[in-house]
Amino acid sequence: MSNNAYLYEYTVGSQRIECIAESDEDCVIYRAVEWSPDGTMLAASTDDSTLRIYDANTQVTQYASGEHRMSPLAAYTTIAHAGTLLGFAWYPHMNRDPAANCFIESVRDHPLHLCDTQTGKVRASYSAYDAYDTLMSATAVAFSHDGTSIYAGYATHIGRFDVHREGPPVELTQTTPSRRSRDGLKGIVSCLATNNTHIASATLSGQLALHTPDTQIACVWRVPVEYGGTGVTHLRWAPNNIHVWAASRQSEFIVAWDIRDLRAPCAVVRRPGRTMQRMQFAFDA
């Protein structure tokens, strides 16, 4: 966690990292930051349950044109929430077109909200209820690869919503038959990642699963003890859409599996990670 947000220029050959922009907030702690799909904006969640949207296009353009000076990074949209902000995800085809300039967010004890990036206003709401007709809070959210569906992970379910239809999910699948059952995906769903054929999910109990587009579980496996921490907190598909990478809390490893053979990891990368924070990672591709 940090009290400021920064933009860095990273040069592979010389291993040089240079700060090119810094946020102007000095009283917040950042929990997660995500680049927009078009690479011009940043969405950052903070410990005060606020989502801040930064337009980084000016800073990146200045640096690319040779103006190597650090400039302020000011939030142009600030969205405060009454409850805890649990997760957010950019619309995969997001660009400067107002119609595509949006994201999905999950707040405790609230439905999922599709929000306008420029104004912060809610465009649509999506809600799922359990067997007792109680609203469920999504602990992880993600768009489908084509942007037509929203996937949400809950304590014991995974749901799929049609972006163009507000209200209940199109599919809502239990991750395990019962709390006592050893079958299925055990634990609270902590993260989701989608590609053009599968949905990957992971839980705070250290399990991972592949799902079909209709949320049905195809297979379940676990992070090996030597690489695992106290629960998987971040998932990402590699650009080849064959390898799925996972990072855990209290773990110094990012582990990858080839979905064609899940018997053992196909790659392991070491990184500083002995912390309970959700340390994220991304691919430069």
Side-chain angles (χ1 to χ4, degrees):
M1 298 180 185
S2 172
N3 286 41
N4 293 86
Y6 303 91
L7 278 181
Y8 290 95
E9 168 68 15
Y10 178 56
T11 303
V12 178
S14 60
Q15 298 294 305
R16 178 176 60 86
I17 299 177
E18 180 181 350
C19 183
I20 63 174
E22 178 182 356
S23 69
D24 56 2
E25 291 91 3
D26 57 2
C27 299
V28 297
I29 297 176
Y30 290 85
R31 295 188 177 275
V33 179
E34 289 283 350
W35 278 103
S36 63
D38 68 350
T40 63
M41 295 184 181
L42 288 167
S45 63
T46 55
D47 64 336
D48 57 356
S49 294
T50 298
L51 189 67
R52 290 171 168 82
I53 307 297
Y54 299 92
D55 189 343
N57 191 46
T58 300
Q59 286 79 5
V60 173
T61 302
Q62 285 177 350
Y63 191 88
S65 64
E67 296 183 32
H68 292 192
R69 59 183 178 84
M70 191 168 69
S71 56
L73 191 64
Y76 81 96
T77 303
T78 301
I79 307 169
H81 303 90
T84 303
L85 180 62
L86 300 175
F88 62 92
W90 287 101
Y91 178 62
H93 304 301
M94 177 269 174
N95 54 52
R96 294 288 174 167
D97 180 359
N101 207 338
C102 59
F103 61 90
I104 191 75
E105 66 174 14
S106 171
V107 178
R108 190 180 303 279
D109 298 326
H110 287 73
L112 295 176
H113 288 154
L114 183 68
C115 298
D116 188 286
T117 303
Q118 296 181 334
T119 65
K121 292 183 178 180
V122 177
R123 293 185 180 180
S125 296
Y126 311 89
S127 52
Y129 295 84
D130 62 15
Y132 302 99
D133 204 28
T134 300
L135 177 68
M136 297 190 293
S137 300
T139 50
V141 290
F143 278 95
S144 62
H145 185 72
D146 60 5
T148 60
S149 297
I150 298 167
Y151 291 94
Y154 301 93
T156 57
H157 294 78
I158 289 181
R160 182 178 74 86
F161 299 86
D162 186 333
V163 171
H164 302 98
R165 193 183 79 180
E166 291 190 72
V170 177
E171 279 104 12
L172 186 62
T173 303
Q174 278 192 287
T175 52
T176 182
S178 67
R179 290 188 176 182
R180 294 186 177 183
S181 174
R182 294 184 178 181
D183 299 326
L185 184 66
K186 306 295 290 185
I188 297 173
V189 178
S190 56
C191 44
L192 296 168
T194 64
N195 68 3
N196 53 3
T197 57
H198 293 88
I199 300 94
S201 67
T203 68
L204 293 177
S205 66
Q207 286 189 318
L208 300 95
L210 285 181
H211 305 258
T212 57
D214 61 355
T215 70
Q216 298 299 313
I217 295 177
C219 57
V220 177
W221 73 100
R222 179 178 289 276
V223 178
V225 176
E226 61 268 29
Y227 303 129
T230 58
V232 181
T233 56
H234 192 60
L235 282 177
R236 187 82 70 172
W237 286 97
N240 61 13
N241 287 323
I242 296 175
H243 300 142
V244 59
W245 292 75
S248 304
R249 293 184 300 192
Q250 290 290 337
S251 173
E252 294 184 345
F253 302 95
I254 304 175
V255 187
W257 290 266
D258 188 321
I259 62 172
R260 298 167 297 184
D261 184 0
L262 295 170
R263 289 175 294 180
C266 64
V268 177
V269 175
R270 184 181 289 272
R271 58 90 192 257
R274 287 292 180 183
T275 173
M276 291 298 290
Q277 298 177 21
R278 286 177 173 246
M279 301 290 286
Q280 297 178 316
F281 61 93
F283 295 99
D284 185 17

